[in-house]
Amino acid sequence: LKLHAYMEDVGDFDDSLSLADKVALVNKSADVSYLIDEQSTEPQLSAPTLYSIPSWLVFGIYFIVLPVSITLINEKQNGTLTRIKTYPISTTHYFSNKALSYAMLSLFQWCVLSIVGLLLVPLFTGQSALIINNIALYVLAGIFIVFSAIGFAFFLASLVNTYEQAIVLGGGVNIILAALS
């Protein structure tokens, strides 16, 4: 009624229109169904699937920070690194092999978490599947995240001296990265 009165006052109606035509014009002016009835031809991805899978992947991969940093702190404290220097192996070779072994474990974990996130989560929750448009970029991102997690674990182990410090810093960064991702 207010819209009808407003349209009447501003002169939107032609004097020759009947009351039914004026009501139809008011209804047409107030109709917003075109905003909500529009059907998209592309499949709609649900927000929980779309946003939770990448964050859980990063969260899961960065969990390797805790065992790696704690292992390195343990080796530093019990003298293992000093004994390694007496063997015919360079510390670079030793740490490279250690980093590669953790990276292989993390890459396996990336694959498992990807399968769970891309196939099982949509299957069990009835949500749309997350579509990866560029698989090479997805794999490259996985490799980057794995090696950044391993590098961060080594960096963290070189900064702190106790398990508690590693757990607080490593766990805190893990939660922050998961929230940001």
Side-chain angles (χ1 to χ4, degrees), residues 8-28:
E8 189 79 49
D9 286 344
V10 296
D12 283 345
F13 294 133
D14 188 12
D15 290 337
S16 65
L17 289 176
S18 69
L19 181 59
D21 291 335
K22 289 179 182 179
V23 169
L25 188 58
V26 168
N27 286 339
K28 182 180 175 197

Side-chain angles (χ1 to χ4, degrees), residues 14-132:
D14 188 12
D15 290 337
S16 65
L17 289 176
S18 69
L19 181 59
D21 291 335
K22 289 179 182 179
V23 169
L25 188 58
V26 168
N27 286 339
K28 182 180 175 197
S29 296
D31 184 30
V32 293
S33 64
Y34 67 93
L35 295 174
I36 55 176
D37 285 343
E38 189 173 306
Q39 296 293 323
S40 174
T41 57
E42 297 179 15
Q44 295 293 319
L45 299 176
S46 60
T49 299
L50 192 66
Y51 294 121
S52 69
I53 292 171
S55 62
W56 280 108
L57 280 169
V58 172
F59 185 72
I61 296 304
Y62 263 80
F63 252 111
I64 198 83
V65 168
L66 297 175
V68 171
S69 60
I70 289 173
T71 300
L72 291 172
I73 290 169
N74 189 26
E75 289 176 354
K76 187 170 38 172
Q77 287 178 349
N78 69 15
T80 302
L81 297 180
T82 306
R83 287 191 302 272
I84 293 292
K85 291 180 182 179
T86 63
Y87 295 148
I89 184 174
S90 69
T91 53
T92 304
H93 189 257
Y94 173 75
F95 284 117
S96 298
N97 284 341
K98 185 177 277 294
L100 282 175
S101 65
Y102 281 118
M104 296 305 290
L105 178 66
S106 293
L107 285 172
F108 175 73
Q109 183 180 6
W110 176 267
C111 292
V112 170
L113 289 173
S114 293
I115 290 169
V116 168
L118 297 174
L119 300 176
L120 297 180
V121 168
L123 179 70
F124 289 124
T125 61
Q127 298 174 356
S128 300
L130 185 63
I131 300 167
I132 299 173

